[in-house]
Amino acid sequence: MIERYHNKLLLLVAMTSCLLSPLPGAAEENHVPRIDDRFTARAESESESPDFRRHVVPLMGRLGCNGRACHGSFQGQGDFRLSLFGYDFQADHENLLQGEDPRVNIDNLDASLFLQKPLEQVDHGGGQVLDADSWQLAVLKQWIEHGAQGVSDDDAVFVRLDVSPAEIVAQKKGQTWQLKATAVWSDGTHEDVTPLCRFRTNNDQIADIDEHGFITAKGPGDSHVVAFYDNGVVPVPVIFPVSDKSGSDYPDIKTPTPIDELVAMKLRKLGEIPSEVCSDGEFLRRASLDITGTLPPVIETEAFLSDETPNKRNAKIEELLERPGYAAWWATKLCDWTGNNDRNQGNSGPERRQGASRFWYEWMHTKVAENLPYDDIVTGIVLAKSRLEGESFTEYSERMSHYLANEGDASFGDQPYLPYFWTRQNFKKPEEQALGFAYTFLGVRIQCAQCHKHPFDQWTKDDFDRFKNFFTRVAYASKGSGKENQKAYKEMLVTLGIDVNDKDLKGNRLYVALAKLAVKGKTVPFGEVIVTPAKAPLDKEKIDGVMAQINAEDIKPKKKEQLERFLMGRTATVLGGKEMKLEEIEDPREILMAWMLDDSNPYFAQSIVNRVWASYFNVGIVEPPDDLSLANPPSNPELLGYLAEGFREHNFDMKWLHREICKSETYQRGWKPNTTNQHDDRNFGRAVARRIPAEVIYDAVRTATAGDREAMELCSLVEKRAIADITVGSYNNNYALEIFGQSTRESNCDCDRSMEPSLLQTVFLQNDKEMLDSISRRGSWLDELTKTLPDFNDPAGEKLKLERKQRLTNEVAQLNKRMEYHLKKNNKSSIKLIKKAIAAKESAMKESKAGNVFDGSVSEWVTQNEDQVLDILDSAYLRTLVRRPTEREIERSIDYLKESPTAKDGLRDILWALLNTKEFALNH
């Protein structure tokens, strides 16, 4: 497959070259030299008129005039405003030439504030930014002298920005290069625009770049420098080998999978030797936590470590992918990325917060368990409506009432659509939906383009406005859509005995009442996600009339908003695509879905494979994983391309993606660095130790402290575990999950989940009552182990025994007093619980360990029962760290155990200490 992928890349390059070559009859190439050579103070080209878009606006950007700290800010500076980063050529031109005191004076060049300010001939907040004999001043003056022309519809279109060299490989610190940037226009012009570009480096510790595009190598590693011009954003990779083993001097290493080969290609350039493959214990722990969110129980660990079959790792991956934990954990991750937050589902219907959140998780869990292809999962979200095809409003309400009441075997997860993605309170406006949609399914951050040109990508405010139009017709009808369904809604309320005119029974109060009735088996009405009908086509005369009203100076803001909404949604544009009419399309979201599934879409497949990769490696191939932008290129574009292409070729099979990653030696590398990769955490030459996610570490504590039987059950019964939590965002959130950084799911941004360590996490693991109780709880490993340990005839042990007996006696006395009270009240349920508690405590008091009494100290017992103690220590390490203790660890544990008052005390402290190690809290 790797050869086929390389061939496809070559084909793509060839096709691109053909597409970009002049077609028969197209404009011939016209190569134009640098503008600073053409417009010097000594040799001005008086016949050439600088172009507003090609020269003047980029020059203003280069000088900082349209930056956020100057006239590009929202309020502008000095009563003058430009579009931020120069995205709105028409508005900028009008602002320069119009108004009571225009900045450009065509009739009197020297009186132009456009020139006086940067020369600081008059007061200028930005100081002097131009010299009198500079080429920049010559360009601006000559533009004004030639009439200060703006932009028109007939102007050539910007095609691309070519930057050379395309890749930079440094050999020593201080080595330098000069970038050359060439703008290509649709009229055949190829102009060297290096003096008009903005430049930046993504890591100034590796390479620095000045305002002229002059690069200096700073230190070993790899990064990018980026050139910006017009709508062009071009990253140039900079590689500074970290050792003398790069290129042809690189040693032969095993590359058994395509992933390994593509990672090795990058490491070869860097001279970075990968770490050795991890141990079996490290692999089992890492894969179990990553794939199923579950710590492996002792029985499984012992079996795996003793297994000598050569293919056992691949077999274990297949086994983990079929476990309930896989579906539970990856459904939770998909709920993170799609925004399942029950706090944002308030007042949405009888489902209310937790009902909607539960349905969302059930749906996602069912689809993951079925291994439904990812494109089908997304289709079920993007094209979601509440009612099924041909279903009446009454039938729909009956079906939903059954789900809410948990009646029968039917599950909401069996439904083809997930409408709750569209019912969130923070997801109602088209701009909110556009932002969330781009984050979730494209991995693109377009919020900057909501107000101005994106500083690090190609998107403009116009792109955003046209993209959001796809979402203008998605709506939530809380009381049914259309008169007929609204009538049915009211009739259901009357049938249920609810007064539709009761003003006190509105909104959330009504939904609470309906939810209670649904639980009792009643059919209650539900709101529904709908797509409103297409607007009637408008002729040009009507559109021009509406636009004239919008642009009128005396229009009121509310009226302007109404008119803008009237025009909105008639056309829309996918990101980077052509404008489309929506007036005759039943559901505009179908265009979006078709665009995402098209092979030419650069985001859909890449965004999900990058997120999954980041889940396994701590960093994405693009990092952050939800920021696929031109200025934030992948660390290994060939690797990302291979995974995305393979994902498509395997019909978006999620399990294929998991297998492909986990079966690679790249995933199975050890965490211990060598001298070549110790400072690199972005090229996958070693495993990066990373904190375990909140839900996983919470469950891991429970699994590690559980008895063997409970630990095995936790692997198969996931419903009540944190990795299957459905109440994210709830006001009653779990404190432990909160401090360990469980995703808040507020913005669809991957940053909603925190993976950073904190002091509160340390305090919880060391001192929290919930944590301490988990170690000693009934049925725990320690509790089961205690039954096999002897009592000791030593003063300290006898004292503790007496104290425990007295404590239990006091507790039984208190329970008997409570029993008398509840007997008088005839509280049968409380009486039953108290009787059970009294029986348990009396049983504990009567426990006799006759025949299991050791006549000596703990130290003597440890010495005389070395094999038993070693087995216990083995079990403690296997259940927490998934490895056996070292000789040094055994020695220290035995020394501590000998000094403990009782064996139970010593073992409890050892288990507590293991749970508080970095090795336990990190996935390595």
Side-chain angles (χ1 to χ4, degrees), residues 769-781:
K769 185 178 184 300
E770 183 180 0
M771 172 70 181
L772 299 177
D773 287 348
S774 68
I775 297 175
S776 303
R777 72 184 188 276
R778 182 174 292 276
S780 68
W781 173 69

Side-chain angles (χ1 to χ4, degrees), residues 403-669:
Y403 295 146
L404 196 59
N406 272 329
E407 292 180 346
D409 297 329
S411 165
F412 185 84
D414 299 327
Q415 301 310 301
Y417 297 118
L418 177 65
Y420 295 104
F421 180 80
W422 303 99
T423 63
R424 291 173 285 171
Q425 289 180 331
N426 62 342
F427 208 63
K428 292 183 176 180
K429 299 178 180 178
E431 52 266 32
E432 293 170 343
Q433 294 170 339
L435 290 173
F437 186 95
Y439 261 125
T440 301
F441 304 119
L442 305 175
V444 174
R445 300 180 177 184
I446 59 170
Q447 65 268 38
C448 290
Q450 191 174 358
C451 301
H452 53 78
K453 185 184 185 303
H454 199 297
F456 306 124
D457 214 333
Q458 60 186 303
W459 315 124
T460 66
K461 185 177 184 300
D462 187 56
D463 290 325
F464 180 86
D465 289 340
R466 292 174 184 272
F467 180 64
K468 77 178 182 183
N469 284 349
F470 281 110
F471 307 98
T472 56
R473 285 166 50 196
V474 184
Y476 176 68
S478 61
K479 296 181 180 179
S481 60
K483 293 181 179 180
E484 184 178 340
N485 294 325
Q486 289 170 1
K487 180 181 178 183
Y489 187 99
K490 290 182 178 180
E491 289 175 349
M492 283 189 194
L493 293 182
V494 172
T495 302
L496 293 166
I498 294 175
D499 184 358
V500 295
N501 297 314
D502 187 349
K503 295 181 180 180
D504 293 329
L505 199 61
K506 301 290 183 183
N508 195 47
R509 290 183 180 179
L510 173 61
Y511 299 144
V512 170
L514 292 176
K516 290 179 179 178
L517 290 168
V519 170
K520 294 178 180 179
K522 303 291 185 181
T523 295
V524 302
F526 283 75
E528 58 176 330
V529 172
I530 61 169
V531 177
T532 59
K535 298 176 181 178
L538 295 177
D539 57 30
K540 187 177 184 302
E541 184 178 348
K542 179 67 174 178
I543 295 173
D544 290 344
V546 175
M547 288 300 299
Q549 294 181 62
I550 290 174
N551 295 324
E553 293 183 2
D554 58 345
I555 188 171
K556 294 181 179 179
K558 188 172 183 179
K559 179 65 174 177
K560 182 177 181 180
E561 184 179 342
Q562 290 174 344
L563 290 171
E564 287 175 340
R565 278 204 305 267
F566 178 74
L567 292 179
M568 191 184 297
R570 298 183 181 277
T571 62
T573 305
V574 296
L575 295 177
K578 295 181 179 180
E579 187 175 59
M580 301 176 219
K581 290 185 177 181
L582 304 181
E583 293 162 336
E584 299 177 359
I585 297 174
E586 184 177 343
D587 188 346
R589 298 175 301 173
E590 292 178 359
I591 297 176
L592 280 177
M593 199 64 235
W595 168 64
M596 288 198 296
L597 295 181
D598 190 273
D599 287 345
S600 65
N601 185 288
Y603 305 108
F604 181 65
Q606 286 193 5
S607 65
I608 184 61
V609 300
N610 187 54
R611 276 188 165 116
V612 172
W613 181 276
S615 298
Y616 284 112
F617 289 90
N618 193 51
V619 294
I621 304 170
V622 174
E623 182 64 23
D626 58 354
D627 188 16
L628 273 64
S629 66
L630 294 175
N632 185 39
S635 60
N636 192 325
E638 294 81 10
L639 175 61
L640 183 61
Y642 165 75
L643 288 171
E645 182 68 22
F647 192 45
R648 285 185 182 277
E649 288 184 359
H650 288 82
N651 300 316
F652 300 95
D653 182 350
M654 292 293 289
K655 287 188 177 180
W656 172 86
L657 181 59
H658 293 298
R659 288 189 196 99
E660 195 73 4
I661 292 172
C662 294
K663 290 183 179 180
S664 69
E665 285 203 357
T666 300
Y667 174 71
Q668 297 177 28
R669 294 284 174 203

Side-chain angles (χ1 to χ4, degrees), residues 655-814:
K655 287 188 177 180
W656 172 86
L657 181 59
H658 293 298
R659 288 189 196 99
E660 195 73 4
I661 292 172
C662 294
K663 290 183 179 180
S664 69
E665 285 203 357
T666 300
Y667 174 71
Q668 297 177 28
R669 294 284 174 203
W671 61 270
K672 294 179 181 178
N674 55 48
T675 55
T676 67
N677 66 17
Q678 60 184 334
H679 300 301
D680 186 5
D681 61 0
R682 63 183 244 120
N683 287 298
F684 319 113
R686 62 181 172 89
V688 177
R690 58 197 190 276
R691 217 209 61 217
I692 298 174
E695 301 90 337
V696 179
I697 195 169
Y698 186 81
D699 284 345
V701 169
R702 185 177 173 188
T703 304
T705 58
D708 289 340
R709 181 177 178 181
E710 183 188 357
M712 291 301 293
E713 288 178 350
L714 287 171
C715 289
S716 56
L717 301 174
V718 298
E719 289 79 8
K720 295 183 179 180
R721 287 180 51 197
I723 61 168
D725 185 18
I726 63 170
T727 57
V728 175
S730 170
Y731 292 99
N732 300 315
N733 262 8
N734 183 298
Y735 171 71
L737 295 179
E738 184 178 336
I739 64 171
F740 277 98
Q742 182 183 40
S743 176
T744 59
R745 300 177 183 172
E746 287 287 349
S747 64
N748 290 111
C749 175
D750 288 14
C751 58
D752 284 342
R753 177 178 290 277
S754 171
M755 297 295 287
E756 298 299 318
S758 72
L759 179 60
L760 284 176
Q761 296 166 13
T762 302
V763 171
F764 177 85
L765 289 173
Q766 290 185 357
N767 298 317
D768 192 90
K769 185 178 184 300
E770 183 180 0
M771 172 70 181
L772 299 177
D773 287 348
S774 68
I775 297 175
S776 303
R777 72 184 188 276
R778 182 174 292 276
S780 68
W781 173 69
L782 185 64
D783 180 58
E784 290 181 354
L785 190 61
T786 302
K787 296 173 184 177
T788 69
L789 298 176
D791 282 338
F792 298 93
N793 287 332
D794 67 287
E798 196 61 35
K799 182 181 177 182
L800 286 172
K801 190 174 178 182
L802 290 171
E803 288 177 354
R804 180 172 180 268
K805 186 174 181 180
Q806 184 60 50
R807 186 180 71 252
L808 288 169
T809 301
N810 294 338
E811 289 174 356
V812 168
Q814 291 174 358

